[in-house]
Amino acid sequence: KAFTEERFEQAKSLYEEASALDPSDRYPRDRAAECQSRMEALAADAAALAARAAEYESLIDLADRNYRGKNWREALRQYEEAASLMPSEEYPVERAESCRKNIEAADAAASEAAAAAASAAEEAERDAAYQGHIDQADAAFDAGNWSAAQAAYELALTVKPNERYPASRLDRVARELEKVAEAQAEALAAESAA
């Protein structure tokens, strides 16, 4: 009865007593040996379970530290490993899901930041190109080089079409070009009359 109830130590002792009473009967000796092997298997199972539990606890401690430190990917790996050691435990599964959500949010934020940085870089490049055209146009304007000023202001407007400054300067360039054309026409007329 002790054997069927898996009280192997007690059963072994009883089988050894029976074997001592009749040493020629192999059955009690075989059953005592079987009790011994079952006790060793149970001890090995208990040791393996204890080792797995210790490894599980160690992984959970590391994962929790990484989780608190917002090292989501490493925490996720450790929670998943812990869950594989103790599949019936819900804690690592729940925390792994939380890590996945945090990784997804962090990746989205990083993607948005990269897009914002790229947009800012494009805007800075556009500003620099615009300012370069304006500087070139203003220098030509100040020198009275109306054709060069007109071309540079038009380029500035291709970069930033809604800017008012180059449009107003183009109006002045057009008036100056009209004055030059009128002066040339008058000079030509005066030369023809003479």
Side-chain angles (χ1 to χ4, degrees), residues 100-120:
R100 282 187 204 90
K101 288 178 182 174
N102 288 328
I103 289 168
E104 189 177 301
D107 287 351
S111 180
E112 286 176 24
S119 178

mmCIF file with all atom_site columns, all heavy atoms in Angstrom, residues 100-120:
data_model
loop_
_atom_site.group_PDB
_atom_site.id
_atom_site.type_symbol
_atom_site.label_atom_id
_atom_site.label_alt_id
_atom_site.label_comp_id
_atom_site.label_asym_id
_atom_site.label_entity_id
_atom_site.label_seq_id
_atom_site.pdbx_PDB_ins_code
_atom_site.Cartn_x
_atom_site.Cartn_y
_atom_site.Cartn_z
_atom_site.occupancy
_atom_site.B_iso_or_equiv
_atom_site.pdbx_formal_charge
_atom_site.auth_seq_id
_atom_site.auth_comp_id
_atom_site.auth_asym_id
_atom_site.auth_atom_id
_atom_site.pdbx_PDB_model_num
ATOM 1   N N   . ARG A 1 100 ? 6.126  44.585 -25.537 1.00 0.00 ? 100 ARG A N   1
ATOM 2   C CA  . ARG A 1 100 ? 5.838  44.715 -26.972 1.00 0.00 ? 100 ARG A CA  1
ATOM 3   C C   . ARG A 1 100 ? 5.150  46.045 -27.263 1.00 0.00 ? 100 ARG A C   1
ATOM 4   O O   . ARG A 1 100 ? 5.477  46.722 -28.239 1.00 0.00 ? 100 ARG A O   1
ATOM 5   C CB  . ARG A 1 100 ? 4.967  43.551 -27.447 1.00 0.00 ? 100 ARG A CB  1
ATOM 6   C CG  . ARG A 1 100 ? 5.735  42.282 -27.662 1.00 0.00 ? 100 ARG A CG  1
ATOM 7   C CD  . ARG A 1 100 ? 4.868  41.185 -28.289 1.00 0.00 ? 100 ARG A CD  1
ATOM 8   N NE  . ARG A 1 100 ? 5.423  39.894 -27.959 1.00 0.00 ? 100 ARG A NE  1
ATOM 9   C CZ  . ARG A 1 100 ? 5.105  39.188 -26.871 1.00 0.00 ? 100 ARG A CZ  1
ATOM 10  N NH1 . ARG A 1 100 ? 4.181  39.603 -26.040 1.00 0.00 ? 100 ARG A NH1 1
ATOM 11  N NH2 . ARG A 1 100 ? 5.696  38.037 -26.645 1.00 0.00 ? 100 ARG A NH2 1
ATOM 12  N N   . LYS A 1 101 ? 4.186  46.408 -26.427 1.00 0.00 ? 101 LYS A N   1
ATOM 13  C CA  . LYS A 1 101 ? 3.480  47.681 -26.622 1.00 0.00 ? 101 LYS A CA  1
ATOM 14  C C   . LYS A 1 101 ? 4.439  48.861 -26.462 1.00 0.00 ? 101 LYS A C   1
ATOM 15  O O   . LYS A 1 101 ? 4.382  49.825 -27.226 1.00 0.00 ? 101 LYS A O   1
ATOM 16  C CB  . LYS A 1 101 ? 2.315  47.804 -25.639 1.00 0.00 ? 101 LYS A CB  1
ATOM 17  C CG  . LYS A 1 101 ? 1.168  46.882 -25.982 1.00 0.00 ? 101 LYS A CG  1
ATOM 18  C CD  . LYS A 1 101 ? 0.043  46.984 -24.968 1.00 0.00 ? 101 LYS A CD  1
ATOM 19  C CE  . LYS A 1 101 ? -1.067 46.003 -25.328 1.00 0.00 ? 101 LYS A CE  1
ATOM 20  N NZ  . LYS A 1 101 ? -2.107 45.958 -24.309 1.00 0.00 ? 101 LYS A NZ  1
ATOM 21  N N   . ASN A 1 102 ? 5.307  48.779 -25.463 1.00 0.00 ? 102 ASN A N   1
ATOM 22  C CA  . ASN A 1 102 ? 6.273  49.857 -25.241 1.00 0.00 ? 102 ASN A CA  1
ATOM 23  C C   . ASN A 1 102 ? 7.278  49.950 -26.388 1.00 0.00 ? 102 ASN A C   1
ATOM 24  O O   . ASN A 1 102 ? 7.662  51.053 -26.789 1.00 0.00 ? 102 ASN A O   1
ATOM 25  C CB  . ASN A 1 102 ? 7.001  49.660 -23.907 1.00 0.00 ? 102 ASN A CB  1
ATOM 26  C CG  . ASN A 1 102 ? 6.104  49.929 -22.723 1.00 0.00 ? 102 ASN A CG  1
ATOM 27  O OD1 . ASN A 1 102 ? 5.211  50.765 -22.787 1.00 0.00 ? 102 ASN A OD1 1
ATOM 28  N ND2 . ASN A 1 102 ? 6.315  49.212 -21.646 1.00 0.00 ? 102 ASN A ND2 1
ATOM 29  N N   . ILE A 1 103 ? 7.694  48.810 -26.917 1.00 0.00 ? 103 ILE A N   1
ATOM 30  C CA  . ILE A 1 103 ? 8.612  48.806 -28.060 1.00 0.00 ? 103 ILE A CA  1
ATOM 31  C C   . ILE A 1 103 ? 7.934  49.437 -29.267 1.00 0.00 ? 103 ILE A C   1
ATOM 32  O O   . ILE A 1 103 ? 8.519  50.262 -29.970 1.00 0.00 ? 103 ILE A O   1
ATOM 33  C CB  . ILE A 1 103 ? 9.081  47.362 -28.384 1.00 0.00 ? 103 ILE A CB  1
ATOM 34  C CG1 . ILE A 1 103 ? 10.029 46.864 -27.299 1.00 0.00 ? 103 ILE A CG1 1
ATOM 35  C CG2 . ILE A 1 103 ? 9.734  47.289 -29.751 1.00 0.00 ? 103 ILE A CG2 1
ATOM 36  C CD1 . ILE A 1 103 ? 10.328 45.371 -27.360 1.00 0.00 ? 103 ILE A CD1 1
ATOM 37  N N   . GLU A 1 104 ? 6.679  49.064 -29.473 1.00 0.00 ? 104 GLU A N   1
ATOM 38  C CA  . GLU A 1 104 ? 5.925  49.615 -30.603 1.00 0.00 ? 104 GLU A CA  1
ATOM 39  C C   . GLU A 1 104 ? 5.798  51.135 -30.463 1.00 0.00 ? 104 GLU A C   1
ATOM 40  O O   . GLU A 1 104 ? 6.005  51.876 -31.430 1.00 0.00 ? 104 GLU A O   1
ATOM 41  C CB  . GLU A 1 104 ? 4.540  48.965 -30.642 1.00 0.00 ? 104 GLU A CB  1
ATOM 42  C CG  . GLU A 1 104 ? 3.733  49.279 -31.865 1.00 0.00 ? 104 GLU A CG  1
ATOM 43  C CD  . GLU A 1 104 ? 2.402  48.528 -31.861 1.00 0.00 ? 104 GLU A CD  1
ATOM 44  O OE1 . GLU A 1 104 ? 2.421  47.291 -31.816 1.00 0.00 ? 104 GLU A OE1 1
ATOM 45  O OE2 . GLU A 1 104 ? 1.363  49.214 -31.912 1.00 0.00 ? 104 GLU A OE2 1
ATOM 46  N N   . ALA A 1 105 ? 5.483  51.603 -29.256 1.00 0.00 ? 105 ALA A N   1
ATOM 47  C CA  . ALA A 1 105 ? 5.350  53.043 -29.027 1.00 0.00 ? 105 ALA A CA  1
ATOM 48  C C   . ALA A 1 105 ? 6.697  53.753 -29.209 1.00 0.00 ? 105 ALA A C   1
ATOM 49  O O   . ALA A 1 105 ? 6.765  54.829 -29.816 1.00 0.00 ? 105 ALA A O   1
ATOM 50  C CB  . ALA A 1 105 ? 4.799  53.304 -27.625 1.00 0.00 ? 105 ALA A CB  1
ATOM 51  N N   . ALA A 1 106 ? 7.765  53.145 -28.694 1.00 0.00 ? 106 ALA A N   1
ATOM 52  C CA  . ALA A 1 106 ? 9.097  53.751 -28.828 1.00 0.00 ? 106 ALA A CA  1
ATOM 53  C C   . ALA A 1 106 ? 9.526  53.796 -30.298 1.00 0.00 ? 106 ALA A C   1
ATOM 54  O O   . ALA A 1 106 ? 10.097 54.793 -30.750 1.00 0.00 ? 106 ALA A O   1
ATOM 55  C CB  . ALA A 1 106 ? 10.119 52.970 -28.000 1.00 0.00 ? 106 ALA A CB  1
ATOM 56  N N   . ASP A 1 107 ? 9.237  52.726 -31.030 1.00 0.00 ? 107 ASP A N   1
ATOM 57  C CA  . ASP A 1 107 ? 9.576  52.706 -32.455 1.00 0.00 ? 107 ASP A CA  1
ATOM 58  C C   . ASP A 1 107 ? 8.796  53.770 -33.218 1.00 0.00 ? 107 ASP A C   1
ATOM 59  O O   . ASP A 1 107 ? 9.342  54.445 -34.093 1.00 0.00 ? 107 ASP A O   1
ATOM 60  C CB  . ASP A 1 107 ? 9.308  51.328 -33.065 1.00 0.00 ? 107 ASP A CB  1
ATOM 61  C CG  . ASP A 1 107 ? 10.321 50.277 -32.625 1.00 0.00 ? 107 ASP A CG  1
ATOM 62  O OD1 . ASP A 1 107 ? 11.338 50.656 -31.986 1.00 0.00 ? 107 ASP A OD1 1
ATOM 63  O OD2 . ASP A 1 107 ? 10.092 49.082 -32.909 1.00 0.00 ? 107 ASP A OD2 1
ATOM 64  N N   . ALA A 1 108 ? 7.520  53.926 -32.867 1.00 0.00 ? 108 ALA A N   1
ATOM 65  C CA  . ALA A 1 108 ? 6.698  54.949 -33.529 1.00 0.00 ? 108 ALA A CA  1
ATOM 66  C C   . ALA A 1 108 ? 7.235  56.345 -33.211 1.00 0.00 ? 108 ALA A C   1
ATOM 67  O O   . ALA A 1 108 ? 7.324  57.202 -34.098 1.00 0.00 ? 108 ALA A O   1
ATOM 68  C CB  . ALA A 1 108 ? 5.244  54.824 -33.091 1.00 0.00 ? 108 ALA A CB  1
ATOM 69  N N   . ALA A 1 109 ? 7.603  56.570 -31.951 1.00 0.00 ? 109 ALA A N   1
ATOM 70  C CA  . ALA A 1 109 ? 8.146  57.877 -31.558 1.00 0.00 ? 109 ALA A CA  1
ATOM 71  C C   . ALA A 1 109 ? 9.471  58.143 -32.276 1.00 0.00 ? 109 ALA A C   1
ATOM 72  O O   . ALA A 1 109 ? 9.716  59.265 -32.738 1.00 0.00 ? 109 ALA A O   1
ATOM 73  C CB  . ALA A 1 109 ? 8.342  57.935 -30.040 1.00 0.00 ? 109 ALA A CB  1
ATOM 74  N N   . ALA A 1 110 ? 10.307 57.119 -32.381 1.00 0.00 ? 110 ALA A N   1
ATOM 75  C CA  . ALA A 1 110 ? 11.590 57.286 -33.074 1.00 0.00 ? 110 ALA A CA  1
ATOM 76  C C   . ALA A 1 110 ? 11.357 57.585 -34.554 1.00 0.00 ? 110 ALA A C   1
ATOM 77  O O   . ALA A 1 110 ? 12.052 58.424 -35.138 1.00 0.00 ? 110 ALA A O   1
ATOM 78  C CB  . ALA A 1 110 ? 12.443 56.033 -32.912 1.00 0.00 ? 110 ALA A CB  1
ATOM 79  N N   . SER A 1 111 ? 10.375 56.914 -35.128 1.00 0.00 ? 111 SER A N   1
ATOM 80  C CA  . SER A 1 111 ? 10.052 57.142 -36.535 1.00 0.00 ? 111 SER A CA  1
ATOM 81  C C   . SER A 1 111 ? 9.547  58.569 -36.745 1.00 0.00 ? 111 SER A C   1
ATOM 82  O O   . SER A 1 111 ? 9.940  59.244 -37.698 1.00 0.00 ? 111 SER A O   1
ATOM 83  C CB  . SER A 1 111 ? 9.004  56.123 -36.985 1.00 0.00 ? 111 SER A CB  1
ATOM 84  O OG  . SER A 1 111 ? 8.683  56.317 -38.329 1.00 0.00 ? 111 SER A OG  1
ATOM 85  N N   . GLU A 1 112 ? 8.687  59.020 -35.839 1.00 0.00 ? 112 GLU A N   1
ATOM 86  C CA  . GLU A 1 112 ? 8.181  60.400 -35.925 1.00 0.00 ? 112 GLU A CA  1
ATOM 87  C C   . GLU A 1 112 ? 9.314  61.405 -35.757 1.00 0.00 ? 112 GLU A C   1
ATOM 88  O O   . GLU A 1 112 ? 9.371  62.411 -36.471 1.00 0.00 ? 112 GLU A O   1
ATOM 89  C CB  . GLU A 1 112 ? 7.117  60.638 -34.852 1.00 0.00 ? 112 GLU A CB  1
ATOM 90  C CG  . GLU A 1 112 ? 5.792  59.973 -35.153 1.00 0.00 ? 112 GLU A CG  1
ATOM 91  C CD  . GLU A 1 112 ? 4.791  60.138 -34.031 1.00 0.00 ? 112 GLU A CD  1
ATOM 92  O OE1 . GLU A 1 112 ? 4.914  61.105 -33.234 1.00 0.00 ? 112 GLU A OE1 1
ATOM 93  O OE2 . GLU A 1 112 ? 3.875  59.305 -33.945 1.00 0.00 ? 112 GLU A OE2 1
ATOM 94  N N   . ALA A 1 113 ? 10.209 61.133 -34.826 1.00 0.00 ? 113 ALA A N   1
ATOM 95  C CA  . ALA A 1 113 ? 11.338 62.042 -34.596 1.00 0.00 ? 113 ALA A CA  1
ATOM 96  C C   . ALA A 1 113 ? 12.241 62.092 -35.833 1.00 0.00 ? 113 ALA A C   1
ATOM 97  O O   . ALA A 1 113 ? 12.712 63.169 -36.219 1.00 0.00 ? 113 ALA A O   1
ATOM 98  C CB  . ALA A 1 113 ? 12.135 61.598 -33.373 1.00 0.00 ? 113 ALA A CB  1
ATOM 99  N N   . ALA A 1 114 ? 12.460 60.936 -36.442 1.00 0.00 ? 114 ALA A N   1
ATOM 100 C CA  . ALA A 1 114 ? 13.295 60.903 -37.649 1.00 0.00 ? 114 ALA A CA  1
ATOM 101 C C   . ALA A 1 114 ? 12.627 61.677 -38.784 1.00 0.00 ? 114 ALA A C   1
ATOM 102 O O   . ALA A 1 114 ? 13.292 62.417 -39.517 1.00 0.00 ? 114 ALA A O   1
ATOM 103 C CB  . ALA A 1 114 ? 13.551 59.460 -38.070 1.00 0.00 ? 114 ALA A CB  1
ATOM 104 N N   . ALA A 1 115 ? 11.312 61.515 -38.905 1.00 0.00 ? 115 ALA A N   1
ATOM 105 C CA  . ALA A 1 115 ? 10.584 62.248 -39.948 1.00 0.00 ? 115 ALA A CA  1
ATOM 106 C C   . ALA A 1 115 ? 10.636 63.746 -39.683 1.00 0.00 ? 115 ALA A C   1
ATOM 107 O O   . ALA A 1 115 ? 10.820 64.546 -40.609 1.00 0.00 ? 115 ALA A O   1
ATOM 108 C CB  . ALA A 1 115 ? 9.134  61.769 -40.019 1.00 0.00 ? 115 ALA A CB  1
ATOM 109 N N   . ALA A 1 116 ? 10.490 64.127 -38.411 1.00 0.00 ? 116 ALA A N   1
ATOM 110 C CA  . ALA A 1 116 ? 10.553 65.545 -38.060 1.00 0.00 ? 116 ALA A CA  1
ATOM 111 C C   . ALA A 1 116 ? 11.952 66.104 -38.332 1.00 0.00 ? 116 ALA A C   1
ATOM 112 O O   . ALA A 1 116 ? 12.092 67.223 -38.838 1.00 0.00 ? 116 ALA A O   1
ATOM 113 C CB  . ALA A 1 116 ? 10.181 65.741 -36.593 1.00 0.00 ? 116 ALA A CB  1
ATOM 114 N N   . ALA A 1 117 ? 12.983 65.329 -38.014 1.00 0.00 ? 117 ALA A N   1
ATOM 115 C CA  . ALA A 1 117 ? 14.353 65.775 -38.268 1.00 0.00 ? 117 ALA A CA  1
ATOM 116 C C   . ALA A 1 117 ? 14.600 65.915 -39.769 1.00 0.00 ? 117 ALA A C   1
ATOM 117 O O   . ALA A 1 117 ? 15.227 66.883 -40.214 1.00 0.00 ? 117 ALA A O   1
ATOM 118 C CB  . ALA A 1 117 ? 15.352 64.789 -37.653 1.00 0.00 ? 117 ALA A CB  1
ATOM 119 N N   . ALA A 1 118 ? 14.095 64.961 -40.538 1.00 0.00 ? 118 ALA A N   1
ATOM 120 C CA  . ALA A 1 118 ? 14.266 65.039 -41.994 1.00 0.00 ? 118 ALA A CA  1
ATOM 121 C C   . ALA A 1 118 ? 13.532 66.247 -42.555 1.00 0.00 ? 118 ALA A C   1
ATOM 122 O O   . ALA A 1 118 ? 14.057 66.967 -43.412 1.00 0.00 ? 118 ALA A O   1
ATOM 123 C CB  . ALA A 1 118 ? 13.754 63.759 -42.652 1.00 0.00 ? 118 ALA A CB  1
ATOM 124 N N   . SER A 1 119 ? 12.342 66.492 -42.034 1.00 0.00 ? 119 SER A N   1
ATOM 125 C CA  . SER A 1 119 ? 11.560 67.650 -42.482 1.00 0.00 ? 119 SER A CA  1
ATOM 126 C C   . SER A 1 119 ? 12.275 68.951 -42.113 1.00 0.00 ? 119 SER A C   1
ATOM 127 O O   . SER A 1 119 ? 12.328 69.886 -42.918 1.00 0.00 ? 119 SER A O   1
ATOM 128 C CB  . SER A 1 119 ? 10.171 67.608 -41.840 1.00 0.00 ? 119 SER A CB  1
ATOM 129 O OG  . SER A 1 119 ? 9.425  68.737 -42.211 1.00 0.00 ? 119 SER A OG  1
ATOM 130 N N   . ALA A 1 120 ? 12.819 69.002 -40.901 1.00 0.00 ? 120 ALA A N   1
ATOM 131 C CA  . ALA A 1 120 ? 13.556 70.193 -40.466 1.00 0.00 ? 120 ALA A CA  1
ATOM 132 C C   . ALA A 1 120 ? 14.805 70.397 -41.327 1.00 0.00 ? 120 ALA A C   1
ATOM 133 O O   . ALA A 1 120 ? 15.138 71.539 -41.684 1.00 0.00 ? 120 ALA A O   1
ATOM 134 C CB  . ALA A 1 120 ? 13.953 70.063 -38.996 1.00 0.00 ? 120 ALA A CB  1
#
